[in-house]
Amino acid sequence: MASLAKDIDIRKFYDAIVSFEESEESQDFYYEVMDTPTGRKNKNGSDETVRDRILKAYGVLFCEDAGLEPGEKAGVQEVADTADRLYIGDAGYDPEHWYRMKYHFPVIDDDNYDRFAALVLADMNSGPLHEAALNDGETLVVGEADPLHMTPEQRKNQQVKSVSLPKGGAQ
């Protein structure tokens, strides 16, 4: 998404995703951005869109865990399977700490999987997560599968790995 920053106001895009449910204007802007061609071609020769690019980038974050090849787009199942594994900063018990719960995505399905992936990437590039990384050192962390249903002992002993993207993005 950083390379798209020159063409798209990433912060406005992030805000549109966060207020998607409350505003028709936000929905219109979200769909306009997601359907914007990037100027590249997909493997099948069709024009790549921002949606395609976002799903590829999300796939890169989880290619090892989801069994995706580099450059392969994350689908509904890959996003749904990984959404509960994201948390901010250090592992904790506060629901606001877990990324999916913080942004109120109770279900990941065909209607919203691309919006969740877009939210994660837009937040990393210009949202509060980007600001927290710059100012407080908090990052998006990938934890074990289904951390919200872990026992306290499992949470204490879980293996985590940080995910970082190249610097860039609009403020």
Side-chain angles (χ1 to χ4, degrees):
M1 281 200 45
S3 64
L4 297 174
K6 64 180 184 251
D7 300 327
I8 298 169
D9 181 342
I10 302 296
R11 182 57 194 216
K12 183 177 177 186
F13 183 56
Y14 168 82
D15 291 339
I17 297 168
V18 170
S19 60
F20 184 88
E21 299 292 337
E22 295 85 39
S23 165
E24 194 170 303
E25 182 181 312
S26 293
Q27 292 172 19
D28 291 343
F29 184 73
Y30 167 78
Y31 288 120
E32 177 185 325
V33 169
M34 292 294 273
D35 294 333
T36 301
T38 64
R40 295 181 179 185
K41 296 285 186 188
N42 286 316
K43 290 179 183 178
N44 64 6
S46 64
D47 290 332
E48 180 187 66
T49 63
V50 171
R51 176 178 285 106
D52 296 329
R53 175 73 63 78
I54 285 171
L55 292 173
K56 287 176 185 178
Y58 191 90
V60 167
L61 293 176
F62 296 103
C63 63
E64 183 179 303
D65 299 327
L68 296 172
E69 294 295 322
E72 189 177 356
K73 293 189 293 189
V76 177
Q77 198 60 52
E78 289 84 14
V79 174
D81 289 347
T82 56
D84 284 335
R85 300 182 60 197
L86 303 175
Y87 54 93
I88 299 168
D90 297 317
Y93 302 107
D94 178 5
E96 288 297 304
H97 198 76
W98 298 94
Y99 198 87
R100 179 177 174 184
M101 293 177 70
K102 180 176 182 178
Y103 289 104
H104 311 292
F105 276 80
V107 174
I108 303 283
D109 58 20
D110 287 326
D111 293 331
N112 66 8
Y113 79 101
D114 54 349
R115 187 164 27 107
F116 182 82
L119 174 66
V120 172
L121 293 172
D123 197 359
M124 292 173 80
N125 280 279
S126 76
L129 184 58
H130 179 77
E131 294 163 15
L134 292 176
N135 300 325
D136 305 327
E138 291 187 343
T139 59
L140 188 65
V141 179
V142 180
E144 296 293 330
D146 206 11
L148 300 178
H149 296 99
M150 290 176 147
T151 66
E153 185 66 24
Q154 288 171 315
R155 279 194 180 119
K156 180 181 173 194
N157 294 323
Q158 71 180 326
Q159 298 290 318
V160 296
K161 57 184 174 182
S162 291
V163 174
S164 60
L165 295 178
K167 294 191 185 270
Q171 287 274 340

